[in-house]
Each structure stands twice: as structure tokens, then as C-alpha cells.
């Protein structure tokens, strides 16, 4: 059940919009739709009250241009949000416009629950200023099933305060994996006498997104169009074994200390210099580590490679439901939320880096927080190397990502070998991805 509902009559609107699986002729709607067209649409997202207030401001801006489109809004916490969507999907009653997560996109698209937005590009949804590499993250089998509302990019963050105290130079944007290993050992040596002792990094093979980046850097595919792994068990072994000597030799932040700090980690607790994550988590890094002196550079490249292969990861996406009877109006709202500089000024980088150059400029001007400024600068600096589309994540991805983390913890404790890690990870993918 939705945790919060804004405006009366949401349930009625959802039921009405889901009466038919077909939802009307999208081409005819697009041809007839104008800024004066009367329509009533439902829009749902996950988030808290602050996000709801921001969306309220954004929709008020939309209604200045489309005064006759009534938008009925609802929101919930992430888990409750998807429970509600699952129930609605069974009854062909999904909201006209809904927030989509990259981990759910394949599942909903595969069940024909989402509208292919391609026919609307020439009319109500031109998406001016949104680049093709960003849009690629929302395509399934060549169909534009979703559009990123905000994006982020894989990164390596570092704690300037910690490094300054130890007298260590900051990491650079052109490091190789060998350079990184040397950097971690240098910090370890300098931080050994601190109380508590300080380290260069936790084991940075501990997350599936890092493995995805590692594959992309080598020009390798990640998942097939059918949602199966395009990588092998040996590639998984090679990845986690690439730091085996550091793991077994005590070069990484101790796993026991990491577990004890949960929900923080060594970096967020100010005891490790580096953290690998998506760029928009920089605000969390500053908040939890209690310092604004957090730097951000791209993760290292393979030895001998002088450039990065980066992709805009969709932090959030928007989709129009296939059952919607007001697809043109829903697409018009989608287009406005993604491309309006005024909307970008409302949200800053809280939904990710805005998809257009005008939006990024507006966010930089309206939100002068250190996190916003650093996130937007990193996006700008990395733009020449952000040329790939983030791989389409298969249905069930969230489960296998969690399994990677669970198995890796056992690997760090010495309870699994790298071969056992890879085998059990593939066993999980066979169950969760239907492979």
C-alpha cells in the first residue's frame, strides 16, 4: 500500500487508466495533443516528503505550460513502491507515468507493461538536449521503454582530510590498477601508527557494479539481450583474484571492522582513504564522514590504457505505462521533467546529474552546495569519456547484486575460494535470472 498519497482520488484514477491493456492509439493521441488539451494523469514515484515537495513544485511549473493537464500524485518508500506497482501490473492498472529503476526495467518491459516512447519523440516528447548514450540505458530490444531522469557515473572518492594528515598526495584521474595498488599500500604504511589504524581502501572488488565497470573498460559485454551473463566464471575469478595478494596480505581495511561499522564502512567512518561508488553518493560521503573535503576522480583503468570507458548510469528513470489512456499527456510530463532547466533548479543533483546541459547549468546556479558543485564538475570533466551506454540490467539483477556482496564477505573472511565464489555466484544467477 502506498505510504503517502498527494491529491484525492488516486485510486480511482489508477483504476480508470488501467481498464484496458491497450490504452489507446499513441500516434493518434500525439497528433491531437496540444498545450491546451485537457487530460488527467497519474504519476507515482518513490521517495520521502522532501522529494514529494520538490515534485509538487515541478508539476506546478509543468501546469504553467499545460494548464489543463491534472496530475494526480502518489509516492512511497522504495520497497512499498514496488509492492504497489506489482499489484497494479497484475490488474493492468499501472500509473500513467511512473518512476522506474534500472534493476526493474527489463522485467516490466519484458512483460509488455511499458509504452515504447519512440513514436512520441517527433511530437510531445522530443527530449531536446538529451544525448543518445544516456537514452541507451532506457532501451530494451531497440525500444525506448524508459528515459533517465538523472544520471551518475562510476567514480573513486577520496578523503582529503585523512590524506593530508598522513602527508599523502591525492589520487589522480589517470591511475592504472597497478598505481592504485601502490597507492593503497602507501596509505596503509603511513596510517599504521594511527589510532585506530588507517587504510587506503576496503577491498574494491566487493561490489558487482565495480565488476561491470572492469568488464566495460576491457570492451567486454556484461549481459546478453536475453538477460544472461555475457561473462564467464573465469572472468569473475580473474577479477577478484586481481587483488588476492592485497586481500590475503592485510592491505585492505579489515572486513571485521567493516562489518562492525555497518551501516557505515571504513571510508564513511573516516578510517579509509578511498570509496568506489556512483558519483551522486558524494553527498552521502560528505554527510557520513562529516567533512566536505571529499575529492572525486574516475576509477583506474587497466595498465596500458590511457583513457576511461565511462557510461551514464541511470540513477532514476521515467516510464509511461502501456495501459495508460493518456500516453501523450504522460509523455509531455516526462519530457518536461527531464528537460526543463527550471525543474533541474528545483532538484539539483538529488535525482542524479540533470540530463541536459541547460539543466546542469541551472542546477549549478541554483544549488551551490559543495556536493552539488563537485558532482556537476565531475560530470563535466568526464563528459568526453562518457561515451558508452550503461548495460541493460536483467530482471532479477538486484538479487544477484546482493548475492555478490554476501559471497564476497565470505571470500574476505577466507570462507570461500575465488573459484567457489564464482561458482556460487553463477548458481544464484541461474536461479534469479532464469539462466
Amino acid at each position: 500500500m502506498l505510504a503517502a498519497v498527494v491529491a484525492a482520488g488516486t485510486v480511482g484514477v489508477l483504476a480508470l487508466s488501467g481498464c484496458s491493456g491497450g490504452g489507446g492509439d499513441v500516434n493518434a493521441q500525439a497528433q491531437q495533443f496540444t498545450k491546451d488539451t485537457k487530460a488527467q494523469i497519474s504519476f507515482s514515484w518513490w521517495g520521502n516528503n522532501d522529494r514529494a515537495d520538490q515534485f509538487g513544485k515541478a508539476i506546478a511549473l509543468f501546469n504553467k505550460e499545460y494548464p489543463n493537464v491534472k496530475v494526480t500524485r502518489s509516492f512511497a518508500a522504495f520497497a512499498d513502491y514496488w509492492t504497489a506497482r506489482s499489484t497494479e501490473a497484475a490488474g493492468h492498472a499501472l500509473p500513467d507515468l511512473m518512476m522506474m529503476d534500472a534493476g526493474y526495467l527489463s522485467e516490466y518491459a519484458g512483460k509488455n507493461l511499458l509504452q515504447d516512447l519512440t513514436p512520441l519523440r517527433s511530437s510531445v516528447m522530443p527530449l531536446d538536449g538529451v544525448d543518445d548514450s544516456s537514452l541507451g540505458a532506457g532501451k530494451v530490444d531497440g525500444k525506448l521503454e524508459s528515459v533517465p531522469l538523472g544520471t551518475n557515473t562510476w567514480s573513486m572518492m577520496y578523503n582529503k582530510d585523512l590524506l593530508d594528515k598522513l602527508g599523502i598526495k591525492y589520487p589522480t584521474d589517470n591511475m592504472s590498477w597497478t598505481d592504485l595498488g601502490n597507492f593503497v599500500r602507501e596509505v596503509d604504511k603511513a596510517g599504521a601508527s594511527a589510532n585506530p589504524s588507517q587504510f587506503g581502501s576496503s577491498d574494491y572488488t566487493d561490489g558487482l557494479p565495480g565488476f561491470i565497470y572492469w568488464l566495460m573498460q576491457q570492451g567486454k559485454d556484461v549481459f546478453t539481450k536475453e538477460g544472461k551473463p555475457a561473462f564467464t566464471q573465469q572472468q569473475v575469478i580473474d577479477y577478484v583474484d586481481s587483488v588476492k595478494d592485497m586481500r590475503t596480505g592485510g592491505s585492505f581495511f579489515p572486513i571485521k571492522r567493516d562489518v562492525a561499522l555497518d551501516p557505515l564502512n571504513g571510508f564513511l567512518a573516516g578510517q579509509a582513504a578511498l570509496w568506489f561508488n556512483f558519483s551522486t553518493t558524494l553527498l552521502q560521503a560528505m554527510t557520513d564522514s562529516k567533512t566536505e573535503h571529499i575529492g572525486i576522480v574516475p576509477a583506474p583503468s587497466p595498465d596500458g590504457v590511457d583513457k576511461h570507458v565511462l557510461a551514464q548510469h541511470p540513477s532514476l528513470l521515467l516510464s509511461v505505462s502501456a495501459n495508460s489512456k493518456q500516453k501523450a499527456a504522460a509523455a509531455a510530463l516526462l519530457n518536461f521533467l527531464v528537460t526543463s532547466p527550471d525543474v533541474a533548479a528545483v532538484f539539483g543533483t538529488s535525482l542524479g546529474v540533470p540530463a541536459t546541459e541547460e539543466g546542469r547549468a541551472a542546477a549549478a546556479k541554483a544549488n551551490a552546495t559543495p556536493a552539488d558543485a563537485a558532482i556537476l564538475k565531475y560530470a563535466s570533466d568526464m563528459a568526453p569519456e562518457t561515451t558508452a551506454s550503461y548495460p541493460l540490467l536483467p530482471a532479477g539483477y538486484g538479487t544477484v547484486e546482493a548475492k555478490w556482496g554476501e559471497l564476497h564477505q565470505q571470500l574476505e573472511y577466507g570462507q570461500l575460494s575465488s573459484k567457489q565464489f564464482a561458482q556460487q555466484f553463477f548458481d544464484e544467477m541461474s536461479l534469479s535470472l532464469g539462466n
Side-chain angles (χ1 to χ4, degrees):
M1 185 174 181
L2 291 180
V5 175
V6 184
T10 297
V11 175
V13 172
L14 292 179
L16 178 64
S17 66
C19 291
S20 168
D25 187 324
V26 65
N27 292 306
Q29 287 184 25
Q31 292 173 3
Q32 297 168 7
F33 188 83
T34 70
K35 289 192 174 183
D36 294 322
T37 298
K38 291 184 178 181
Q40 182 169 323
I41 59 174
S42 52
F43 173 36
S44 294
W45 66 88
W46 66 82
N48 56 18
N49 288 327
D50 288 340
R51 180 172 290 177
D53 290 342
Q54 290 171 319
F55 269 122
K57 294 175 182 177
I59 291 170
L61 292 168
F62 171 75
N63 282 142
K64 290 182 179 180
E65 291 194 26
Y66 297 88
N68 297 320
V69 177
K70 181 180 179 182
V71 183
T72 307
R73 297 163 276 152
S74 60
F75 69 97
F78 187 82
D80 294 334
Y81 175 87
W82 289 109
T83 298
R85 300 295 82 76
S86 179
T87 301
E88 293 162 356
H92 300 289
L94 287 167
D96 297 290
L97 181 66
M98 54 191 257
M99 191 176 280
M100 178 57 58
D101 180 77
Y104 284 86
L105 177 57
S106 292
E107 177 182 353
Y108 276 68
K111 294 177 181 178
N112 298 315
L113 295 169
L114 307 179
Q115 171 65 39
D116 177 12
L117 299 168
T118 306
L120 297 160
R121 292 294 308 280
S122 60
S123 53
V124 297
M125 201 193 74
L127 296 175
D128 293 336
V130 183
D131 61 64
D132 290 339
S133 64
S134 178
L135 291 177
K139 289 185 176 180
V140 182
D141 294 331
K143 297 178 180 179
L144 186 60
E145 305 273 5
S146 203
V147 176
L149 179 55
T151 62
N152 51 35
T153 308
W154 193 244
S155 70
M156 180 172 73
M157 301 176 209
Y158 57 93
N159 187 317
K160 296 179 181 179
D161 291 341
L162 184 153
L163 294 173
D164 287 344
K165 289 178 182 178
L166 298 179
I168 305 292
K169 292 182 179 180
Y170 300 155
T172 64
D173 61 2
N174 60 353
M175 295 175 71
S176 68
W177 290 107
T178 297
D179 294 333
L180 177 62
N182 293 334
F183 177 87
V184 168
R185 294 183 183 95
E186 182 184 8
V187 177
D188 289 353
K189 183 178 179 180
S193 60
N195 186 21
S197 54
Q198 297 178 330
F199 288 78
S201 175
S202 296
D203 186 335
Y204 38 80
T205 65
D206 62 350
L208 184 51
F211 177 60
I212 290 175
Y213 175 78
W214 184 78
L215 290 171
M216 291 176 62
Q217 287 289 87
Q218 300 175 70
K220 306 291 186 182
D221 291 331
V222 183
F223 297 103
T224 67
K225 291 182 179 180
E226 295 75 28
K228 298 179 180 181
F231 53 89
T232 65
Q233 289 190 39
Q234 187 58 51
Q235 286 173 306
V236 173
I237 293 170
D238 290 345
Y239 178 64
V240 297
D241 276 355
S242 67
V243 295
K244 182 178 180 180
D245 290 346
M246 297 176 68
R247 183 185 304 121
T248 58
S251 295
F252 289 130
F253 191 81
I255 182 62
K256 290 182 179 180
R257 281 170 61 176
D258 242 343
V259 171
L261 288 169
D262 187 65
L264 301 179
N265 57 33
F267 178 84
L268 297 177
Q271 299 173 26
L274 302 177
W275 191 35
F276 294 80
N277 212 323
F278 291 105
S279 55
T280 48
T281 58
L282 183 61
L283 176 60
Q284 178 190 357
M286 290 181 176
T287 302
D288 288 347
S289 63
K290 297 180 174 58
T291 178
E292 295 176 349
H293 300 149
I294 303 294
I296 181 169
V297 292
S301 299
D303 291 4
V305 176
D306 60 0
K307 68 177 182 179
H308 302 91
V309 178
L310 296 174
Q312 291 179 331
H313 175 270
S315 51
L316 301 168
L317 302 106
L318 293 175
S319 293
V320 175
S321 66
N323 61 244
S324 172
K325 290 188 174 181
Q326 297 287 349
K327 294 184 175 75
L333 176 57
L334 184 158
N335 185 79
F336 186 84
L337 292 174
V338 170
T339 64
S340 169
D342 292 334
V343 170
V346 169
F347 285 102
T349 62
S350 66
L351 301 180
V353 175
T356 68
E357 186 175 350
E358 286 188 351
R360 292 188 287 274
K365 184 177 180 180
N367 297 273
T369 68
D372 280 322
I375 290 168
L376 291 166
K377 184 179 186 303
Y378 179 70
S380 176
D381 290 346
M382 293 299 103
E385 298 183 85
T386 308
T387 55
S389 291
Y390 201 79
L392 179 66
L393 304 178
Y397 171 82
T399 300
V400 298
E401 182 180 7
K403 188 65 174 181
W404 180 291
E406 173 190 326
L407 292 172
H408 199 281
Q409 189 173 104
Q410 295 177 48
L411 180 72
E412 291 185 70
Y413 273 117
Q415 298 168 349
L416 290 178
S417 68
S418 56
K419 184 176 181 180
Q420 291 170 322
F421 174 94
Q423 178 62 60
Q424 292 188 34
F425 181 66
F426 266 70
D427 289 345
E428 179 63 43
M429 287 194 293
S430 295
L431 292 172
S432 299
L433 306 183
N435 299 317

